[in-house]
Amino acid sequence: MQFDDDANLDSSEVRDVRGSRIPGGKATIGGGIVGFIALIMGVLFGVGPDQLGLSSGEQQPGGSASAQAQVQEGCKTGRDANTREDCRILGVVNSVQDFWRAEFARRNARYSDAKTVFFSHRVPTACGTASSAVGPFYCPGDRQVYLDLGFFDELRTKFGSTGGPFAQAYVVAHEYGHHIQNTMGTLSRSQDGRQGANSNAVRVELQADCYAGVWAHHATRTPDEKSGKPLITKLTDVDIRDGLDAAAAVGDDRIQEKFQGRVTPESWTHGSAAQRQQWFYNGFRTGDMAQCNTFR
């Protein structure tokens, strides 16, 4: 994955609270067995801390001045995105939102921007306070994506993904898929309390995978609103394979086999490795969000 070296990044789309001190935290997700369970559930993507029953109602902190400056001062151009991980994630956020703004406008609808919050250790959200163990997630209460960048190391070392820049991009685009669902009113369909291979919870996650693929299809042709040129100039077959590998690594069956030694489809909430790959690739192949109806 390659960014245009001369492109300008928009750091206002990321709020950086890495290193901030979080007060209180009486009901935060901690280590030990509770943290382990949270990791297994949260790493599947999209599970807010409120859904884990381990949340508190604290207010969000502002980012520390030094942390926010890391992004504002260090992530200015596509060249920075090609050399620094946090800048790369910012570039992906910019590209994803450029695409969805244009797509919604094409459909005579209005896209509402969503920030991505970089945090470390733990962070309070409108969905409750979460630790890094929850993994990346989207909170519909404040319409923000939350991400501890250390997750990408765990994606490789604990869950066996090949990793790579586009594996990271897939994760970010998946979470913005949940934002699209929230905007369109379909995200709440996952909250009926049911689990299993055919549950709405699984269908919602697979649709977010498909939306991630739709963005990937258009990424190298989506113009930045300011420059009129795409932020991302190249996606290779290797990039797409890395995305598919990341999707498989966080399939319910892979996670269950790895951490509990058996596969129990009746408790699935996100879909199998094959399903997650299938729906991501379906979105990438067609580039059409209308082909992402996982509820049929």
Side-chain angles (χ1 to χ4, degrees):
M1 182 170 68
Q2 187 78 21
F3 289 84
D4 176 5
D5 279 344
D6 298 323
N8 292 319
L9 302 181
D10 182 0
S11 62
S12 70
E13 293 188 351
V14 165
R15 190 165 63 91
D16 194 344
V17 299
R18 289 175 292 177
S20 296
R21 294 178 62 85
I22 309 301
K26 290 182 289 186
T28 58
I29 300 169
I33 189 63
V34 174
F36 178 77
I37 293 171
L39 173 65
I40 301 309
M41 296 179 69
V43 79
L44 295 171
F45 304 158
V47 180
D50 57 326
Q51 293 171 280
L52 298 176
L54 297 166
S55 60
S56 67
E58 297 165 14
Q59 298 298 311
Q60 295 183 35
S64 67
S66 60
Q68 191 66 35
Q70 291 182 50
V71 171
Q72 290 178 343
E73 297 177 6
C75 302
K76 294 182 179 297
T77 68
R79 183 175 290 104
D80 300 321
N82 286 325
T83 56
R84 266 180 56 170
E85 181 181 61
D86 54 355
C87 301
R88 179 165 61 243
I89 301 306
L90 168 61
V92 171
V93 170
N94 289 170
S95 175
V96 168
Q97 297 212 101
D98 282 342
F99 168 69
W100 287 116
R101 287 188 202 103
E103 180 66 13
F104 272 55
R106 189 178 71 82
R107 295 171 177 268
N108 296 314
R110 182 178 178 275
Y111 174 78
S112 177
D113 287 3
K115 288 184 184 293
T116 287
V117 180
F118 292 166
F119 74 98
S120 54
H121 305 302
R122 59 178 179 166
V123 63
T125 79
C127 296
T129 300
S131 83
S132 300
V134 176
F137 66 95
Y138 171 73
C139 174
D142 55 32
R143 303 171 75 87
Q144 296 188 122
V145 172
Y146 289 86
L147 177 62
D148 185 328
L149 300 185
F151 168 77
F152 295 125
D153 289 332
E154 294 184 343
L155 186 59
R156 289 184 301 101
T157 60
K158 293 186 178 181
F159 299 95
S161 168
T162 56
F166 193 77
Q168 300 173 351
Y170 155 72
V171 172
V172 174
H174 172 98
E175 296 308 333
Y176 274 91
H178 287 314
H179 179 58
I180 299 305
Q181 292 170 321
N182 193 35
T183 300
M184 298 181 69
T186 54
L187 183 62
S188 60
R189 297 179 71 168
S190 67
Q191 303 301 309
D192 60 9
R194 293 187 297 170
Q195 298 179 339
N198 296 314
S199 67
N200 280 344
V202 167
R203 295 176 190 275
V204 162
E205 296 299 331
L206 295 179
Q207 186 177 62
D209 282 335
C210 188
Y211 286 162
V214 170
W215 160 74
H217 176 94
H218 295 280
T220 59
R221 296 187 298 275
T222 297
D224 174 67
E225 290 185 327
K226 294 180 181 177
S227 71
K229 298 190 299 182
L231 288 174
I232 296 175
T233 59
K234 183 169 68 173
L235 284 180
T236 67
D237 290 342
V238 172
D239 289 322
I240 301 306
R241 285 199 297 270
D242 285 344
L244 288 166
D245 187 74
V250 291
D252 278 323
D253 52 343
R254 294 274 187 93
I255 297 289
Q256 288 179 341
E257 179 67 34
K258 186 175 186 67
F259 290 99
Q260 68 183 29
R262 66 187 187 283
V263 176
T264 54
E266 64 274 12
S267 64
W268 287 2
T269 57
H270 288 67
S272 69
Q275 287 176 310
R276 300 199 72 165
Q277 287 185 317
Q278 173 194 340
W279 281 102
F280 171 78
Y281 191 74
N282 190 53
F284 175 70
R285 178 180 57 82
T286 65
D288 183 3
M289 66 184 300
Q291 303 302 311
C292 294
N293 185 0
T294 57
F295 296 94
R296 287 183 295 197

PDB file of all heavy atoms in Angstrom, residues 65-87:
ATOM      1  N   ALA A  65      -1.480  17.309  25.324  1.00  0.00           N
ATOM      2  CA  ALA A  65      -0.930  18.171  24.290  1.00  0.00           C
ATOM      3  C   ALA A  65       0.224  17.491  23.556  1.00  0.00           C
ATOM      4  O   ALA A  65       0.350  17.566  22.339  1.00  0.00           O
ATOM      5  CB  ALA A  65      -0.467  19.483  24.912  1.00  0.00           C
ATOM      6  N   SER A  66       1.078  16.784  24.312  1.00  0.00           N
ATOM      7  CA  SER A  66       2.229  16.143  23.691  1.00  0.00           C
ATOM      8  C   SER A  66       1.808  14.999  22.784  1.00  0.00           C
ATOM      9  O   SER A  66       2.388  14.787  21.720  1.00  0.00           O
ATOM     10  CB  SER A  66       3.195  15.632  24.760  1.00  0.00           C
ATOM     11  OG  SER A  66       2.553  14.691  25.599  1.00  0.00           O
ATOM     12  N   ALA A  67       0.780  14.251  23.193  1.00  0.00           N
ATOM     13  CA  ALA A  67       0.322  13.134  22.374  1.00  0.00           C
ATOM     14  C   ALA A  67      -0.305  13.638  21.078  1.00  0.00           C
ATOM     15  O   ALA A  67      -0.015  13.135  19.994  1.00  0.00           O
ATOM     16  CB  ALA A  67      -0.673  12.281  23.157  1.00  0.00           C
ATOM     17  N   GLN A  68      -1.191  14.622  21.175  1.00  0.00           N
ATOM     18  CA  GLN A  68      -1.836  15.137  19.976  1.00  0.00           C
ATOM     19  C   GLN A  68      -0.818  15.732  19.023  1.00  0.00           C
ATOM     20  O   GLN A  68      -0.939  15.639  17.808  1.00  0.00           O
ATOM     21  CB  GLN A  68      -2.894  16.176  20.342  1.00  0.00           C
ATOM     22  CG  GLN A  68      -3.797  16.565  19.171  1.00  0.00           C
ATOM     23  CD  GLN A  68      -4.673  15.408  18.697  1.00  0.00           C
ATOM     24  OE1 GLN A  68      -5.122  14.586  19.493  1.00  0.00           O
ATOM     25  NE2 GLN A  68      -4.899  15.312  17.397  1.00  0.00           N
ATOM     26  N   ALA A  69       0.230  16.324  19.591  1.00  0.00           N
ATOM     27  CA  ALA A  69       1.264  16.914  18.749  1.00  0.00           C
ATOM     28  C   ALA A  69       1.999  15.858  17.938  1.00  0.00           C
ATOM     29  O   ALA A  69       2.528  16.153  16.867  1.00  0.00           O
ATOM     30  CB  ALA A  69       2.251  17.705  19.608  1.00  0.00           C
ATOM     31  N   GLN A  70       2.047  14.621  18.432  1.00  0.00           N
ATOM     32  CA  GLN A  70       2.706  13.552  17.684  1.00  0.00           C
ATOM     33  C   GLN A  70       2.080  13.397  16.311  1.00  0.00           C
ATOM     34  O   GLN A  70       2.770  13.155  15.319  1.00  0.00           O
ATOM     35  CB  GLN A  70       2.601  12.226  18.435  1.00  0.00           C
ATOM     36  CG  GLN A  70       3.397  12.146  19.720  1.00  0.00           C
ATOM     37  CD  GLN A  70       3.254  10.773  20.350  1.00  0.00           C
ATOM     38  OE1 GLN A  70       3.432   9.753  19.686  1.00  0.00           O
ATOM     39  NE2 GLN A  70       2.924  10.738  21.617  1.00  0.00           N
ATOM     40  N   VAL A  71       0.766  13.519  16.251  1.00  0.00           N
ATOM     41  CA  VAL A  71       0.062  13.383  14.987  1.00  0.00           C
ATOM     42  C   VAL A  71       0.043  14.703  14.228  1.00  0.00           C
ATOM     43  O   VAL A  71       0.320  14.758  13.033  1.00  0.00           O
ATOM     44  CB  VAL A  71      -1.376  12.865  15.222  1.00  0.00           C
ATOM     45  CG1 VAL A  71      -2.197  12.939  13.939  1.00  0.00           C
ATOM     46  CG2 VAL A  71      -1.339  11.439  15.739  1.00  0.00           C
ATOM     47  N   GLN A  72      -0.295  15.788  14.914  1.00  0.00           N
ATOM     48  CA  GLN A  72      -0.417  17.081  14.237  1.00  0.00           C
ATOM     49  C   GLN A  72       0.902  17.550  13.630  1.00  0.00           C
ATOM     50  O   GLN A  72       0.929  18.099  12.535  1.00  0.00           O
ATOM     51  CB  GLN A  72      -0.941  18.133  15.215  1.00  0.00           C
ATOM     52  CG  GLN A  72      -2.393  17.935  15.607  1.00  0.00           C
ATOM     53  CD  GLN A  72      -2.879  18.965  16.606  1.00  0.00           C
ATOM     54  OE1 GLN A  72      -2.088  19.651  17.254  1.00  0.00           O
ATOM     55  NE2 GLN A  72      -4.187  19.082  16.743  1.00  0.00           N
ATOM     56  N   GLU A  73       1.995  17.342  14.345  1.00  0.00           N
ATOM     57  CA  GLU A  73       3.282  17.828  13.872  1.00  0.00           C
ATOM     58  C   GLU A  73       4.052  16.792  13.065  1.00  0.00           C
ATOM     59  O   GLU A  73       4.886  17.146  12.227  1.00  0.00           O
ATOM     60  CB  GLU A  73       4.126  18.280  15.062  1.00  0.00           C
ATOM     61  CG  GLU A  73       3.524  19.451  15.827  1.00  0.00           C
ATOM     62  CD  GLU A  73       4.343  19.827  17.048  1.00  0.00           C
ATOM     63  OE1 GLU A  73       5.439  19.249  17.233  1.00  0.00           O
ATOM     64  OE2 GLU A  73       3.873  20.673  17.830  1.00  0.00           O
ATOM     65  N   GLY A  74       3.784  15.507  13.313  1.00  0.00           N
ATOM     66  CA  GLY A  74       4.563  14.466  12.649  1.00  0.00           C
ATOM     67  C   GLY A  74       3.891  13.823  11.461  1.00  0.00           C
ATOM     68  O   GLY A  74       4.534  13.095  10.710  1.00  0.00           O
ATOM     69  N   CYS A  75       2.584  14.052  11.286  1.00  0.00           N
ATOM     70  CA  CYS A  75       1.828  13.386  10.222  1.00  0.00           C
ATOM     71  C   CYS A  75       1.209  14.437   9.321  1.00  0.00           C
ATOM     72  O   CYS A  75       0.029  14.779   9.447  1.00  0.00           O
ATOM     73  CB  CYS A  75       0.752  12.479  10.803  1.00  0.00           C
ATOM     74  SG  CYS A  75       1.377  11.188  11.912  1.00  0.00           S
ATOM     75  N   LYS A  76       1.985  14.956   8.414  1.00  0.00           N
ATOM     76  CA  LYS A  76       1.516  16.041   7.555  1.00  0.00           C
ATOM     77  C   LYS A  76       1.285  15.618   6.110  1.00  0.00           C
ATOM     78  O   LYS A  76       0.394  16.155   5.445  1.00  0.00           O
ATOM     79  CB  LYS A  76       2.516  17.198   7.585  1.00  0.00           C
ATOM     80  CG  LYS A  76       2.642  17.890   8.944  1.00  0.00           C
ATOM     81  CD  LYS A  76       3.613  19.042   8.877  1.00  0.00           C
ATOM     82  CE  LYS A  76       3.735  19.766  10.214  1.00  0.00           C
ATOM     83  NZ  LYS A  76       2.466  20.395  10.629  1.00  0.00           N
ATOM     84  N   THR A  77       2.062  14.680   5.631  1.00  0.00           N
ATOM     85  CA  THR A  77       1.997  14.334   4.210  1.00  0.00           C
ATOM     86  C   THR A  77       1.918  12.821   4.006  1.00  0.00           C
ATOM     87  O   THR A  77       2.134  12.037   4.922  1.00  0.00           O
ATOM     88  CB  THR A  77       3.239  14.851   3.465  1.00  0.00           C
ATOM     89  OG1 THR A  77       4.397  14.105   3.909  1.00  0.00           O
ATOM     90  CG2 THR A  77       3.459  16.335   3.713  1.00  0.00           C
ATOM     91  N   GLY A  78       1.644  12.436   2.761  1.00  0.00           N
ATOM     92  CA  GLY A  78       1.653  11.031   2.410  1.00  0.00           C
ATOM     93  C   GLY A  78       2.999  10.388   2.624  1.00  0.00           C
ATOM     94  O   GLY A  78       3.085   9.183   2.901  1.00  0.00           O
ATOM     95  N   ARG A  79       4.055  11.171   2.493  1.00  0.00           N
ATOM     96  CA  ARG A  79       5.393  10.634   2.768  1.00  0.00           C
ATOM     97  C   ARG A  79       5.486  10.159   4.215  1.00  0.00           C
ATOM     98  O   ARG A  79       6.083   9.114   4.499  1.00  0.00           O
ATOM     99  CB  ARG A  79       6.448  11.697   2.484  1.00  0.00           C
ATOM    100  CG  ARG A  79       7.886  11.199   2.667  1.00  0.00           C
ATOM    101  CD  ARG A  79       8.901  12.248   2.256  1.00  0.00           C
ATOM    102  NE  ARG A  79       8.916  12.451   0.806  1.00  0.00           N
ATOM    103  CZ  ARG A  79       8.365  13.490   0.174  1.00  0.00           C
ATOM    104  NH1 ARG A  79       7.750  14.442   0.870  1.00  0.00           N
ATOM    105  NH2 ARG A  79       8.423  13.577  -1.141  1.00  0.00           N
ATOM    106  N   ASP A  80       4.882  10.915   5.145  1.00  0.00           N
ATOM    107  CA  ASP A  80       4.855  10.498   6.543  1.00  0.00           C
ATOM    108  C   ASP A  80       4.047   9.207   6.704  1.00  0.00           C
ATOM    109  O   ASP A  80       4.421   8.317   7.471  1.00  0.00           O
ATOM    110  CB  ASP A  80       4.251  11.598   7.421  1.00  0.00           C
ATOM    111  CG  ASP A  80       5.039  12.899   7.364  1.00  0.00           C
ATOM    112  OD1 ASP A  80       6.280  12.830   7.323  1.00  0.00           O
ATOM    113  OD2 ASP A  80       4.405  13.969   7.349  1.00  0.00           O
ATOM    114  N   ALA A  81       2.943   9.095   5.948  1.00  0.00           N
ATOM    115  CA  ALA A  81       2.113   7.886   6.015  1.00  0.00           C
ATOM    116  C   ALA A  81       2.859   6.667   5.497  1.00  0.00           C
ATOM    117  O   ALA A  81       2.586   5.536   5.915  1.00  0.00           O
ATOM    118  CB  ALA A  81       0.821   8.091   5.224  1.00  0.00           C
ATOM    119  N   ASN A  82       3.796   6.879   4.594  1.00  0.00           N
ATOM    120  CA  ASN A  82       4.580   5.770   4.053  1.00  0.00           C
ATOM    121  C   ASN A  82       5.698   5.321   4.979  1.00  0.00           C
ATOM    122  O   ASN A  82       6.316   4.276   4.743  1.00  0.00           O
ATOM    123  CB  ASN A  82       5.176   6.163   2.698  1.00  0.00           C
ATOM    124  CG  ASN A  82       4.131   6.184   1.593  1.00  0.00           C
ATOM    125  OD1 ASN A  82       3.212   5.374   1.578  1.00  0.00           O
ATOM    126  ND2 ASN A  82       4.274   7.129   0.668  1.00  0.00           N
ATOM    127  N   THR A  83       5.956   6.093   6.045  1.00  0.00           N
ATOM    128  CA  THR A  83       7.105   5.775   6.906  1.00  0.00           C
ATOM    129  C   THR A  83       6.749   5.596   8.372  1.00  0.00           C
ATOM    130  O   THR A  83       7.529   4.998   9.113  1.00  0.00           O
ATOM    131  CB  THR A  83       8.176   6.881   6.803  1.00  0.00           C
ATOM    132  OG1 THR A  83       7.598   8.159   7.136  1.00  0.00           O
ATOM    133  CG2 THR A  83       8.737   6.951   5.392  1.00  0.00           C
ATOM    134  N   ARG A  84       5.581   6.092   8.822  1.00  0.00           N
ATOM    135  CA  ARG A  84       5.204   6.005  10.235  1.00  0.00           C
ATOM    136  C   ARG A  84       3.851   5.338  10.399  1.00  0.00           C
ATOM    137  O   ARG A  84       2.898   5.667   9.690  1.00  0.00           O
ATOM    138  CB  ARG A  84       5.147   7.413  10.864  1.00  0.00           C
ATOM    139  CG  ARG A  84       6.402   7.838  11.533  1.00  0.00           C
ATOM    140  CD  ARG A  84       6.279   9.222  12.121  1.00  0.00           C
ATOM    141  NE  ARG A  84       5.171   9.380  13.069  1.00  0.00           N
ATOM    142  CZ  ARG A  84       5.023  10.465  13.821  1.00  0.00           C
ATOM    143  NH1 ARG A  84       5.893  11.461  13.750  1.00  0.00           N
ATOM    144  NH2 ARG A  84       4.006  10.560  14.660  1.00  0.00           N
ATOM    145  N   GLU A  85       3.746   4.438  11.366  1.00  0.00           N
ATOM    146  CA  GLU A  85       2.509   3.686  11.531  1.00  0.00           C
ATOM    147  C   GLU A  85       1.337   4.581  11.882  1.00  0.00           C
ATOM    148  O   GLU A  85       0.250   4.449  11.292  1.00  0.00           O
ATOM    149  CB  GLU A  85       2.690   2.619  12.614  1.00  0.00           C
ATOM    150  CG  GLU A  85       1.439   1.769  12.818  1.00  0.00           C
ATOM    151  CD  GLU A  85       1.626   0.732  13.914  1.00  0.00           C
ATOM    152  OE1 GLU A  85       1.883   1.131  15.067  1.00  0.00           O
ATOM    153  OE2 GLU A  85       1.490  -0.466  13.613  1.00  0.00           O
ATOM    154  N   ASP A  86       1.478   5.476  12.865  1.00  0.00           N
ATOM    155  CA  ASP A  86       0.339   6.302  13.246  1.00  0.00           C
ATOM    156  C   ASP A  86      -0.079   7.216  12.104  1.00  0.00           C
ATOM    157  O   ASP A  86      -1.281   7.460  11.897  1.00  0.00           O
ATOM    158  CB  ASP A  86       0.603   7.081  14.534  1.00  0.00           C
ATOM    159  CG  ASP A  86       1.874   7.911  14.509  1.00  0.00           C
ATOM    160  OD1 ASP A  86       2.635   7.846  13.528  1.00  0.00           O
ATOM    161  OD2 ASP A  86       2.120   8.622  15.513  1.00  0.00           O
ATOM    162  N   CYS A  87       0.890   7.697  11.330  1.00  0.00           N
ATOM    163  CA  CYS A  87       0.557   8.515  10.167  1.00  0.00           C
ATOM    164  C   CYS A  87      -0.158   7.683   9.100  1.00  0.00           C
ATOM    165  O   CYS A  87      -1.061   8.175   8.405  1.00  0.00           O
ATOM    166  CB  CYS A  87       1.810   9.149   9.583  1.00  0.00           C
ATOM    167  SG  CYS A  87       2.732  10.199  10.724  1.00  0.00           S
TER     168      CYS A  87
END
